[in-house]
Amino acid sequence: MLVGMHPHQDGPLARLRRGHEDLVLELLRKHGPLSRAELGQHSGLSRTTLSDIVTELIESGAVVATAPGTAPRRRGRPVEALTLNPSAGQAIGIDFARRAVHVSAVNVAHEVIGSASEPHDPGLPWEERIALAERLVGTLADGALRLGALNAIGVGVVGPVGDPDSGPTQPWPSTDLPALLRKRFRAPVLVDNNTRLAALAEATWGAAAGGRDVLYLRLSHGVGGGLVVAGALHRGAYGLSGEFGHIAVESGDGRCSCGATGCLETVASVGAVLAAYRRAGGLADGLAELLGALEAGDPVALRTLEAAGTHIGTVLAAVCNAVGPGVIVLGGELATAGTPLFEPVGRALRAHIMPISRDRVDLRPATLGEAGGALGGIALVLHESPLLSHYPAAPG
């Protein structure tokens, strides 16, 4: 069960009315401008109910009535068209990564308003991370954002997100994150795993758009991923799907953040790869220096990425043999290494995947970058993507 709340949950009649509003907004998103008669045909609502809903949406600013067309009509008054008002409001997505905050916003017409990011120390308290998110949101759309009719925020966090009563420990054990966000933004909040949200975004708008079976792996300061199975995002029991970083690899005895040893994260995260490069004699204070060494053809850097890529490809092959995706998307900061990483990943993938699948799995780089988790949060809130058809909806 997702953590959060949803507007207009005062009773069954209020929920029914909200459902009618959502239906009208969805039809206008899908079809563009429609007359009232066309809305009635598509929605199946009675004329009286539809009139009440449309009137309220126009008064709230979510919908605007456009001027009637100039084409001559045989009789009667010209017919006005109803359309979404792009300036009526926005939905906001926030990704609280391990070392940065990323924010994005879209308007009611699903147009991306903007995105912003800022790094921070990994030990930054939650209250300060939230203040940073608020400041970043304030920079979008020249500071003119308002939530309006789509009054909601989707939030991604590191680690599993489950039912607080029966699931695993939440990643914000010392504070009530949804409550703090609601207080800051005065809006409903939904929280989910940020890497799974990035998978949703890549499968909705990014590298795997249109794919029905997608495996997404993010190689960052942690390693995780997400699965789209049969056209639907897979969350798993207690929100535990996509923890590919904790699959054991053949070698590597470093202690993982989960408490185990030998996990993929201990050899394929940004920190682990940098440590391996330094142990082999390389000099790099951070990822930028390592990427520079790769571009310069540094053999130590190339061998380091070869080893990490081999582990990654081997794990990906095991997952592919279990779930059979058609597309694999690699994202995260380490994936920006490009060919020096993708080539060994591809070789190991082909070596360990079932022969019948070797030419049927497409390995692609992610396209949404740092905004992926935040954009996935927006998709979660809007609940518009077919990928969410079997995914837990907002509670209530």
Side-chain angles (χ1 to χ4, degrees):
M1 184 175 181
L2 296 178
V3 180
M5 58 180 290
H6 200 277
H8 307 291
Q9 293 184 349
D10 298 328
L13 292 179
R15 289 196 293 271
L16 178 62
R17 186 174 188 85
R18 176 60 178 174
H20 291 162
E21 292 175 355
D22 288 344
L23 174 59
V24 170
L25 291 171
E26 179 182 358
L27 289 170
L28 292 176
R29 290 188 195 100
K30 180 178 180 180
H31 297 284
L34 294 172
S35 68
R36 291 175 187 257
E38 290 168 333
L39 268 176
Q41 293 171 0
H42 286 297
S43 68
L45 299 175
S46 70
R47 180 178 299 181
T48 300
T49 298
L50 181 62
S51 177
D52 289 345
I53 296 299
V54 167
T55 297
E56 183 170 313
L57 290 174
I58 291 176
E59 289 177 351
S60 73
V63 171
V64 294
T66 63
T70 57
R73 294 178 55 85
R74 294 181 179 179
R75 61 179 183 273
R77 294 183 299 172
V79 177
E80 67 179 10
L82 300 169
T83 187
L84 292 176
N85 179 0
S87 63
Q90 293 81 30
I92 294 174
I94 302 173
D95 179 3
F96 289 108
R98 291 177 189 265
R99 299 170 183 262
V101 174
H102 313 290
V103 302
S104 293
V106 302
N107 63 22
V108 295
H110 284 199
E111 299 166 335
V112 177
I113 301 298
S115 299
S117 299
E118 186 169 318
H120 61 71
D121 183 87
L124 190 70
W126 275 107
E127 290 78 4
E128 295 183 42
R129 296 188 194 194
I130 293 169
L132 173 57
E134 184 179 32
R135 179 166 60 78
L136 289 174
V137 167
T139 67
L140 303 180
D142 297 323
L145 279 181
R146 63 189 183 90
L147 294 178
L150 291 178
N151 191 13
I153 298 175
V155 176
V157 294
V158 176
V161 177
D163 187 330
D165 295 325
S166 59
T169 301
Q170 302 295 341
W172 56 90
S174 62
T175 188
D176 187 344
L177 178 61
L180 287 175
L181 288 166
R182 287 195 295 268
K183 182 178 179 180
R184 282 272 187 171
F185 292 96
R186 300 183 181 278
V189 174
L190 292 178
V191 180
D192 208 331
N193 173 267
N194 62 346
T195 309
R196 192 160 50 239
L197 293 181
L200 170 62
E202 290 289 348
T204 302
W205 301 298
R212 287 186 53 80
D213 294 278
V214 178
L215 192 167
Y216 171 79
L217 180 69
R218 181 157 71 179
L219 303 165
S220 183
H221 297 284
V223 175
L227 282 172
V228 173
V229 180
L233 185 67
H234 182 62
R235 186 164 185 263
Y238 311 116
L240 291 174
S241 173
E243 296 293 337
F244 307 132
H246 303 295
I247 295 176
V249 294
E250 292 182 3
S251 61
D253 56 2
R255 178 70 61 176
C256 182
S257 60
C258 71
T261 57
C263 294
L264 179 63
E265 188 168 296
T266 67
V267 295
S269 65
V270 170
V273 172
L274 283 171
Y277 177 57
R278 293 169 189 144
R279 287 195 301 270
L283 299 175
D285 292 330
L287 182 60
E289 289 86 352
L290 176 59
L291 295 177
L294 288 169
E295 189 173 349
D298 176 8
V300 175
L302 292 170
R303 287 196 299 271
T304 301
L305 267 292
E306 173 81 25
T310 299
H311 287 305
I312 293 165
T314 301
V315 168
L316 288 175
V319 179
C320 286
N321 289 336
V323 300
V327 178
I328 299 173
V329 178
L330 289 188
E333 295 93 325
L334 193 63
T336 60
T339 300
L341 178 69
F342 276 75
E343 282 191 350
V345 169
R347 285 195 294 270
L349 177 63
R350 290 189 297 273
H352 294 283
I353 200 171
M354 291 181 63
I356 195 173
S357 301
R358 283 176 186 158
D359 298 325
R360 300 183 181 185
V361 179
D362 192 3
L363 179 64
R364 305 174 186 174
T367 60
L368 299 178
E370 294 180 339
L375 288 171
I378 292 172
L380 179 69
V381 166
L382 298 179
H383 221 80
E384 294 297 328
S385 171
L387 299 171
L388 293 168
S389 58
H390 302 298
Y391 202 78

